[in-house]
Amino acid sequence: MNATFRLKVQRLNDQCLFELTWGSGQQLVATLSDSETLIRLYQDWQRAYLNFYKSVPLAVAPLPSPNSNDVLRGRAGASGDIFTPPNWQAALVQAEASLLYAFHQWLRGAELYEIRQQIVRSAATLTTPDAHVDVCLTCSPIDLERLPWEAWEIGAELGTTTQIRIVRTPANIRASTQSTSRPTRRRVRILAILGDDTGLNFQAEREAVRSLAAIAEVVFMGWQAGQSPGELKTQICDAIADEPGWDGLIFAGHSNETAITGGELAIAPGVVMMIREMTQPLTLARERGLKFAVFNSCNGLSIAQSLVDLGLSQVVIMREPIHNQVAQEFLLAFLRHLAAFHDIHDSVLAACRSLQLERHLTYPSAYLIPSLFCHPDAVRFCIEPGGWRQRLRPWLPTRLEAIALGVLLPLSLWSTAQDFLLAQRLWLQAVYRDVTGQVSATSAPPVMLVRIDEKSIRRAGISTPNPLDRAYLARLIDRLTALKATVVGFDYVFDRPQPSKDPVFAQSIRMAVQQNATWFVFGAQQSPGEGEVGVSPETGIASLNWSLQGSIEAYPWYMELPSTPMACAASCPFAYLLTLAQTLNATTAPDRPRPTLQSQTDFRTQTIGYLRQFSPDARSPQTALATLQQVHLSPITRWMQPFDQLWLQPIIDFSIPPTQVYDTIAAWTLLDPVQLRTMNLRQQAVIICQGGYEEAGIAAAEPDNFPIPPAIRYWRSRSPTPIDPQQPFAGAEAHAYMVDQLLTQRLVVPIPDLWLVGMVVLVSKGATIVLQRQ
C-alpha cells in the first residue's frame, strides 16, 4: 500500500502559502517568507547552466559550433547580462551548491515542520519494501514552479527510509484520465516522433527506443525532405489519433514554452506545431489508451501543463534547455528502467540518479532538469512483463504471506497435527448430530462385539491371557454356533500353536462351518520377509480353503481399504472381508460362494473372483456387492502413504454414536446361560476381541488399546448406561465402524489439509488481486 499527498505552494504578496491535503479531507496549512535570495540564486544558477552547456563542447561525435544554441534542444538563451568566468564548470557547480543549500534551508524552516512530519509519519506506516509516498506538487506562479522541487529531501532530518517521491501537478486540470474505450492490446504500442534535427543527432535515441521492440510495438515517424508543412502536420495528427491507439508518445527535437498555445514543437526545419493544434488527435489518443508522453526537448513546462489539462495522465518534460547529449543519456537510462518493468516515476528518478551519480562530472546539474507531471488520479504507467512470468508475478507472496505459508504448510503436512484437527472436527460433528436430533434408534446395529474383558479372564481362570487360551475361544464359538451366528471375526492373530488347545478350538470352528455354514474371518498382520501372517498351518485351527483372513493393522482414524481392486487376492483388510462375508451371507444367489469343509481352493480367491463379476450399475440384491467391488484406495493415497500422508483416504466417522454401529457383550456374559438374553445373530457380524485387559495386543510394543477419540468420549458421556470414561478404545471398535460404513456405503473422504491451505491461499490471493485492480 502507498500513500498520496497533495501539496499546493502559492505566492501571496511576500509570503508563500503551503497547503497539504490527504485522506478524507485532512489538511495542514503553513506560510514561509518569500525568499528573494532564493530566486536570485536560481537565476544565477540558470545563467551558469546555460553558459556551460552552450559554451563547452561535450559531444564525442561532431556537434555544431559551441557558440550555437543548436547544441541545446531549445531556441531561447538566458535572459539578463551574462558574466563569463574563465571556468564554466566550476561556476555551474558553485551556483548549484548555493542554490540547493538555500533551497533546503528554506524548506527546513520551522513553519513547515508539521507538514514534513505528517508526510514522514505516513511513510513510517508503510511496511512493504517497494512502498512509497507520492507528494503531488502544484506551484504558482511559474518562477516557483521552475525551482528543483524534486531535490527536496523531505524527512531527511527525521531519518525516514521509505521513498518519498515528488510528482508535479498543474494548477488547471479540466479533463479526467478515464478513457471511453478500454484498450485490449496484448503489447504496448509506442509512437516516436522525431522533429527538427538541426544541430542534433537522433541516432542514440532511435537505438534506445528500438530496444523496446522485444516488449513493445514501436513506430517511428518524422519529417521527410520535400514534405510541405501542412502535409507533415496532418501526418502527425493522423498518427497520434491512429485507431488502434498508443500507450506512449515520445518526442525528440526542439521545443519551447508559449504563454497561450500550450507550447510549441519544432517538427521540421522552420516548421513549428503548437500543442493547441494537436488537441483533437491527443484527445482521441487519450480515449484510445494513451497513458504517457515523453518530451525529450527543452522548456517543457507549458507543454506538460497543457497535456495534463487535456487528460493525459503522465508527461515527462525538461524544465530548462537540455543539451543534446544529456537528452540522449537521459532517454537511454529512462527507457532501460522502463524496459525492466519499473513504473514511469521510478524510471525518471533512476535516470536522474544516473546523471547525478555517474555523469555529474561530465553533465553537471543535468539531473535537476527532468520532471514528471501527472494527473492526481493517475496510476503510474508500467510495462507489464509478458508470458507466464507476468501472470505469475501478482501471485507471488509478500514477506508476511511467505512467513505465514512457511508456518502453515509444514503444519498441514504434520500427521500429528492432522490427527488432532480431525479428532476435533469429528467431536464437533458428533455434538452437532446430537444437538440437532440426527441420532435415531435403529433396530439392530450391524456388528456385535464379544469383548473378552478383565472380568472374563478372571472368571475363566486364565492366568496368562497373551496368547489367549484357545479352549476358552472354543467355548465362545460353541455358544455363537448355538445362537446361529453366521459371520464371526477374530481380532486376534493365531500364528503360534497351542498343541493342547488347538484341536479343541479347531473342532468348534469346523462344527460351526458344518452346521451353520459360518463365515470365519481371522486376523492377520504383515511380517517383513513373510508377507501376510495369520492362521498358521501348524496350528491346524482352520484352512484358508473354507475361511478368510485379513489384515487387522489400521491407522486409528482412517478406513482400511484394498489398495487396488485386484489387491484383495493377496492381502485384504479385516473389516472389508467381514463386510463382504456379511453381504454374501445375506445374498440369496444360488451361485454365491459358501464356506464348506470340502473346498480344495483358496476361499478368499473364490470370494474375490465372484465379486469381480458385478459392475457398478448392478441392481439389488447385487448393488452392495457391486459397490464393494469398486471400493479401493485412491492412487493419490497410495502414492502419498510412503510420505506419511493419507491424502483422500476415507476416515472413520466417529460422529455416529457407537450404539448405531455395534452392540457389546462381555464374553463371560455370553457364556453365562442365566444372564444371557435371547439374541439373533443372523443379521450381525460378530467380532471376538479383547475388552480392555492389559496384556491385549499382538506384542507388548503393539497394544490393541488406543487413545479414546474425543467423539467417542462424548458419546460415552451421553450414554444412558454408565460407561467408565477411561475404558480403553479397542481396535475392534474401529473395525466395527469400518464395517458399518462399508455396509451403508458411506465413505467420508476429507480434503487434505495441504490442499485446503492451497485453496485458501489461491482464493484469498485472487480476491486481493481483484480488489487491488479495481
Side-chain angles (χ1 to χ4, degrees):
M1 180 180 292
N2 302 318
T4 301
F5 291 87
R6 296 188 182 183
L7 179 62
K8 183 176 182 180
V9 182
Q10 186 178 10
R11 180 188 294 138
L12 300 175
N13 300 323
D14 58 348
Q15 299 284 325
C16 282
L17 178 66
F18 286 72
E19 297 182 23
L20 182 73
T21 59
W22 73 96
S24 302
Q26 295 99 316
Q27 67 178 20
L28 287 173
V29 177
T31 57
L32 278 180
S33 59
D34 189 13
S35 177
E36 296 181 1
T37 303
L38 182 62
I39 300 301
R40 178 180 58 78
L41 290 173
Y42 165 76
Q43 294 171 348
D44 292 343
W45 169 84
Q46 186 185 52
R47 285 192 293 269
Y49 170 84
L50 293 173
N51 287 335
F52 172 79
Y53 282 102
K54 285 194 299 182
S55 305
V56 177
L58 298 171
V60 176
L63 282 176
S65 169
N67 293 323
S68 169
N69 280 341
D70 289 338
V71 295
L72 299 176
R73 297 193 171 187
R75 300 304 190 189
S79 60
D81 297 331
I82 299 178
F83 172 71
T84 306
N87 190 330
W88 302 112
Q89 185 167 2
L92 178 55
V93 170
Q94 183 178 357
E96 176 190 332
S98 299
L99 172 62
L100 293 182
Y101 176 78
F103 187 54
H104 290 153
Q105 289 298 111
W106 186 57
L107 294 174
R108 287 178 182 171
E111 297 87 344
L112 295 184
Y113 177 77
E114 288 192 24
I115 288 179
R116 297 196 305 271
Q117 187 183 47
Q118 180 59 47
I119 296 173
V120 171
R121 186 185 300 119
S122 177
T125 63
L126 305 179
T127 57
T128 55
D130 57 346
H132 54 260
V133 175
D134 285 339
V135 179
C136 299
L137 176 70
T138 302
C139 297
S140 63
I142 196 169
D143 58 348
L144 281 179
E145 194 169 21
R146 295 188 188 281
L147 293 175
W149 291 95
E150 289 80 2
W152 186 5
E153 299 172 347
I154 303 178
E157 76 268 26
L158 300 177
T160 181
T161 58
T162 302
Q163 185 181 27
I164 299 176
R165 309 187 304 187
I166 300 292
V167 60
R168 298 180 183 241
T169 302
N172 299 317
I173 303 177
R174 297 177 179 85
S176 71
T177 60
Q178 300 296 322
S179 59
T180 57
S181 60
R182 296 290 183 183
T184 57
R185 295 184 289 274
R186 296 188 60 182
R187 298 188 72 201
V188 172
R189 297 189 78 224
I190 295 177
L191 174 64
I193 300 176
L194 304 180
D196 179 13
D197 60 354
T198 302
L200 306 178
N201 181 0
F202 293 148
Q203 184 59 34
E205 280 148 312
R206 284 180 181 272
E207 296 301 324
V209 177
R210 285 196 184 103
S211 68
L212 298 177
I215 56 175
E217 178 186 348
V218 178
V219 176
F220 288 92
M221 71 160 301
W223 73 279
Q224 302 293 328
Q227 198 172 23
S228 68
E231 292 174 343
L232 178 58
K233 291 184 179 182
T234 300
Q235 182 185 17
I236 291 176
C237 290
D238 290 344
I240 293 174
D242 190 29
E243 181 63 31
W246 307 97
D247 293 282
L249 169 66
I250 298 176
F251 174 80
H254 297 289
S255 68
N256 212 343
E257 297 173 357
T258 58
I260 299 176
T261 57
E264 60 182 16
L265 307 177
I267 57 176
V271 180
V272 172
M273 190 172 188
M274 302 297 176
I275 294 296
R276 178 163 294 182
E277 297 178 83
M278 306 164 64
T279 298
Q280 185 63 27
L282 284 171
T283 302
L284 287 174
R286 177 184 64 83
E287 294 175 353
R288 292 168 180 168
L290 183 63
K291 301 176 184 66
F292 77 94
V294 178
F295 289 85
N296 205 25
S297 56
C298 296
N299 301 327
L301 282 175
S302 60
I303 295 174
Q305 292 170 346
S306 300
L307 294 181
V308 176
D309 188 23
L310 288 174
L312 188 58
S313 61
Q314 297 148 86
V315 182
V316 180
I317 54 93
M318 306 296 168
R319 300 189 316 279
E320 302 286 347
I322 189 78
H323 191 278
N324 181 57
Q325 283 185 282
V326 176
Q328 293 174 352
E329 289 276 352
F330 171 82
L331 190 64
L332 283 168
F334 170 77
L335 294 180
R336 182 170 63 251
H337 286 86
L338 200 65
F341 312 117
H342 298 289
D343 69 37
I344 190 171
H345 201 163
D346 284 341
S347 298
V348 171
L349 294 176
C352 291
R353 281 195 300 270
S354 177
L355 292 174
Q356 179 184 11
L357 301 178
E358 301 172 15
R359 309 291 282 170
H360 66 283
L361 296 177
T362 309
Y363 308 130
S365 288
Y367 73 95
L368 298 174
I369 306 304
S371 286
L372 172 66
F373 279 75
C374 282
H375 192 286
D377 298 330
V379 177
R380 304 296 184 268
F381 173 78
C382 180
I383 298 177
E384 299 291 344
W388 65 269
R389 288 185 178 86
Q390 159 59 18
R391 292 189 290 271
L392 178 64
R393 186 178 181 185
W395 295 88
L396 295 178
T398 63
R399 182 173 177 271
L400 291 178
E401 291 170 346
I403 293 174
L405 285 176
V407 173
L408 290 176
L409 293 182
L411 281 177
S412 67
L413 295 172
W414 186 20
S415 59
T416 303
Q418 295 176 30
D419 292 344
F420 173 79
L421 294 174
L422 176 60
Q424 305 313 309
R425 183 265 183 195
L426 290 175
W427 170 82
L428 185 61
Q429 182 70 18
V431 174
Y432 175 76
R433 288 184 187 277
D434 190 23
V435 171
T436 57
Q438 298 183 35
V439 179
S440 59
T442 57
S443 56
V447 178
M448 168 65 75
L449 296 183
V450 178
R451 301 176 66 113
I452 304 175
D453 56 9
E454 188 67 34
K455 189 173 182 180
S456 300
I457 296 294
R458 291 198 307 270
R459 285 202 173 199
I462 300 174
S463 59
T464 306
N466 192 356
L468 191 63
D469 188 335
R470 289 170 192 170
Y472 182 72
L473 292 174
R475 293 172 59 194
L476 295 177
I477 293 300
D478 292 340
R479 178 64 67 181
L480 292 174
T481 302
L483 293 172
K484 307 299 183 183
T486 54
V487 177
V488 178
F490 291 94
D491 191 22
Y492 290 95
V493 177
F494 304 122
D495 56 337
R496 294 180 180 179
Q498 293 182 14
S500 61
K501 309 293 179 63
D502 286 343
V504 178
F505 189 28
Q507 179 61 31
S508 296
I509 290 176
R510 283 177 171 81
M511 185 64 67
V513 173
Q514 187 173 359
Q515 292 184 3
N516 294 341
T518 304
W519 292 69
F520 282 99
V521 182
F522 294 93
Q525 62 176 334
Q526 295 296 324
S527 178
E530 297 185 58
E532 188 178 72
V533 176
V535 180
S536 173
E538 290 78 11
T539 64
I541 293 173
S543 170
L544 294 183
N545 290 338
W546 46 265
S547 65
L548 304 171
Q549 74 175 15
S551 172
I552 59 175
E553 297 173 335
Y555 292 97
W557 304 100
Y558 294 87
M559 296 278 293
E560 281 297 311
L561 302 176
S563 57
T564 66
M566 308 292 292
C568 255
S571 178
C572 209
F574 177 75
Y576 182 85
L577 288 178
L578 273 176
T579 307
L580 180 56
Q582 182 81 339
T583 306
L584 286 172
N585 187 64
T587 302
T588 57
D591 61 338
R592 75 186 190 279
R594 299 183 66 185
T596 173
L597 298 178
Q598 289 73 39
S599 175
Q600 299 299 313
T601 59
D602 185 83
F603 191 48
R604 187 167 64 187
T605 303
Q606 296 178 46
T607 305
I608 299 302
Y610 179 79
L611 183 65
R612 288 175 184 161
Q613 67 179 294
F614 297 98
S615 60
D617 59 351
R619 293 294 180 262
S620 179
Q622 293 84 9
T623 303
L625 294 174
T627 303
L628 285 174
Q629 195 271 342
Q630 294 296 311
V631 170
H632 60 87
L633 294 178
S634 164
I636 296 177
T637 307
R638 301 198 305 272
W639 296 336
M640 297 306 298
Q641 277 183 341
F643 304 99
D644 198 26
Q645 299 298 312
L646 302 176
W647 290 359
L648 302 185
Q649 183 160 345
I651 63 171
I652 303 175
D653 188 7
F654 294 122
S655 69
I656 302 296
T659 54
Q660 292 186 7
V661 176
Y662 55 82
D663 284 327
T664 301
I665 185 171
W668 68 269
T669 304
L670 182 67
L671 295 175
D672 189 344
V674 176
Q675 300 192 41
L676 182 63
R677 56 189 172 87
T678 303
M679 293 187 299
N680 182 2
L681 298 180
R682 289 185 178 276
Q683 305 302 320
Q684 289 182 302
V686 178
I687 301 178
I688 299 176
C689 60
Q690 66 87 14
Y693 58 91
E694 294 181 358
E695 297 86 350
I698 297 174
E702 299 180 37
D704 196 36
N705 295 324
F706 300 95
I708 304 173
I712 296 296
R713 184 178 288 109
Y714 173 79
W715 290 123
R716 288 181 178 179
S717 69
R718 304 286 293 172
S719 174
T721 58
I723 299 179
D724 182 2
Q726 300 305 318
Q727 177 180 307
F729 182 75
E733 296 181 73
H735 290 303
Y737 268 94
M738 295 185 212
V739 171
D740 175 67
Q741 289 181 231
L742 288 171
L743 285 173
T744 57
Q745 303 174 19
R746 184 174 52 83
L747 298 183
V748 181
V749 181
I751 300 175
D753 294 339
L754 182 65
W755 296 16
L756 284 174
V757 171
M759 291 168 57
V760 171
V761 167
L762 291 177
V763 171
S764 58
K765 190 69 174 180
T768 301
I769 292 172
V770 170
L771 291 174
Q772 288 177 341
R773 288 177 177 173
Q774 290 179 346

